[in-house]
């Protein structure tokens, strides 16, 4: 089984600098490991069944992160900008994945930092996809995937190629030591540019300011008199064109 684990594909919102005018400055901020990235690597190792795990990242972050956790090699798209929109990042990741032959599964953290990238990646690849994944195992040529839906769990059987968006249920338990990190830096790294993926560079997105959307003032109806409250509610709904 050949598995790609996407890591360090988003930036930590806490690292952004927000100006007094609401502008957002990402200069100097690198891609970060989300809480879900270690969980994605753990699930990859659980389903690899002696196959190959490949790490995939973008930008200028540390490429050895996945290698230190079991990836045999790493692919880096070095000139992919980190301050573009989610659809562009998803397209870059999908193009890099298509270059690898025989991929059975792609695992990516179901990160709250940028839900759009995960959705864009799933759409670009056009593969079956499962979100909210907390565990997986191989069984008779299929993947038996458990995902969390609120307080309930759902078990699915899927066949590859498939995208699994992983949601961490706990912090990383067995972080690699210095020995593993040093050994990881000797593993193969394939460095690509957008031209290798037949993609053109996209201009960075400039944030000129942020603000909350305009919303009409809320109207509170006194519910001490149910009949009067109901009449006021019906009148308000008619005035707003709801009824």
């Amino acid at each position: 089984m050949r598995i790609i684990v996407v890591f360090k594909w988003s930036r930590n919102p806490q690292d952004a600098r927000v100006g007094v005018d609401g502008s957002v400055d990402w200069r100097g901020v690198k891609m970060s490991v989300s809480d879900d990235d270690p969980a994605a690597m753990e699930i990859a190792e659980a389903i690899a069944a002696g196959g190959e795990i490949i790490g995939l990242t973008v930008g200028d972050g540390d490429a050895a992160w996945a290698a230190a956790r079991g990836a045999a090699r790493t692919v880096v798209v070095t000139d992919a900008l980190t301050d573009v929109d989610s659809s562009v990042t998803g397209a870059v990741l999908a193009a890099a994945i298509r270059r690898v032959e025989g991929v059975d599964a792609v695992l990516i953290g179901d990160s709250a930092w940028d839900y759009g990238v995960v959705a864009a990646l799933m759409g670009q690849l056009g593969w079956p996809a499962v979100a909210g994944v907390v565990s997986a195992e191989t069984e008779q040529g299929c993947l038996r995937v458990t995902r969390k839906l609120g307080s309930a769990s759902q078990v699915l059987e899927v066949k590859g190629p498939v995208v699994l968006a992983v949601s961490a249920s706990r912090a990383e338990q067995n972080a690699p030591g210095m020995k593993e990190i040093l050994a990881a830096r000797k593993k193969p790294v394939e460095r690509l540019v957008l031209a290798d993926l037949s993609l053109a560079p996209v201009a960075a997105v400039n944030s000129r300011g942020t603000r909350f959307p305009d919303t009409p003032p809320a109207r509170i109806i006194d519910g001490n008199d149910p009949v009067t409250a109901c009449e006021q509610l019906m009148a308000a709904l008619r005035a707003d064109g709801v009824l």
Side-chain angles (χ1 to χ4, degrees), residues 32-81:
S32 300
V33 176
S34 75
D35 294 338
D36 298 324
D37 286 358
M41 281 299 304
E42 289 180 8
I43 292 178
E45 289 190 310
I47 64 176
E52 182 184 29
I53 299 176
I54 303 169
L56 171 61
T57 187
V58 296
D60 56 358
D62 183 7
W65 185 89
R69 290 161 175 80
R73 56 190 175 100
T74 302
V75 178
V76 184
V77 185
T78 58
D79 62 344
L81 295 177

Side-chain angles (χ1 to χ4, degrees), residues 1-198:
M1 181 171 262
R2 178 168 289 171
I3 302 168
I4 291 180
V5 177
V6 185
F7 69 99
K8 288 189 177 181
W9 53 270
S10 184
R11 295 166 298 177
N12 190 338
Q14 295 181 357
D15 294 335
R17 294 187 294 272
V18 182
V20 294
D21 59 348
S23 60
V24 181
D25 185 359
W26 290 101
R27 287 178 298 179
V29 179
K30 296 182 178 182
M31 295 298 194
S32 300
V33 176
S34 75
D35 294 338
D36 298 324
D37 286 358
M41 281 299 304
E42 289 180 8
I43 292 178
E45 289 190 310
I47 64 176
E52 182 184 29
I53 299 176
I54 303 169
L56 171 61
T57 187
V58 296
D60 56 358
D62 183 7
W65 185 89
R69 290 161 175 80
R73 56 190 175 100
T74 302
V75 178
V76 184
V77 185
T78 58
D79 62 344
L81 295 177
T82 60
D83 49 3
V84 294
D85 63 31
S86 303
S87 63
V88 174
T89 302
V92 171
L93 294 174
I97 291 167
R98 292 192 195 100
R99 280 178 57 93
V100 183
E101 295 183 359
V103 176
D104 297 291
V106 172
L107 278 70
I108 183 171
D110 194 5
S111 177
W113 292 354
D114 194 338
Y115 288 121
V117 170
V118 178
L121 173 61
M122 292 175 173
Q124 285 281 345
L125 290 176
W127 297 353
V130 183
V133 175
V134 294
S135 66
E137 58 185 6
T138 56
E139 185 176 290
Q140 297 180 349
C142 295
L143 288 177
R144 189 176 179 85
V145 180
T146 301
R147 67 174 177 177
K148 196 77 171 178
L149 296 172
S151 59
S153 294
Q154 183 180 40
V155 180
L156 304 172
E157 288 188 358
V158 295
K159 289 187 176 181
V162 62
V163 180
L164 303 181
V166 178
S167 180
S169 58
R170 53 180 172 79
E172 185 175 16
Q173 298 296 300
N174 299 305
M178 185 57 66
K179 181 179 179 180
E180 290 81 6
I181 294 174
L182 293 176
R185 300 190 187 281
K186 299 178 182 179
K187 292 184 178 181
V189 177
E190 181 182 7
R191 301 187 185 278
L192 304 174
V193 295
L194 293 176
D196 297 325
L197 306 176
S198 300

Side-chain angles (χ1 to χ4, degrees), residues 195-228:
D196 297 325
L197 306 176
S198 300
L199 297 175
V202 178
V205 176
N206 294 321
S207 173
R208 298 182 178 179
T210 57
R211 64 180 178 83
F212 289 109
D214 296 328
T215 56
R219 178 181 176 184
I220 300 176
I221 297 176
D222 187 354
N224 289 329
D225 184 347
V227 175
T228 302

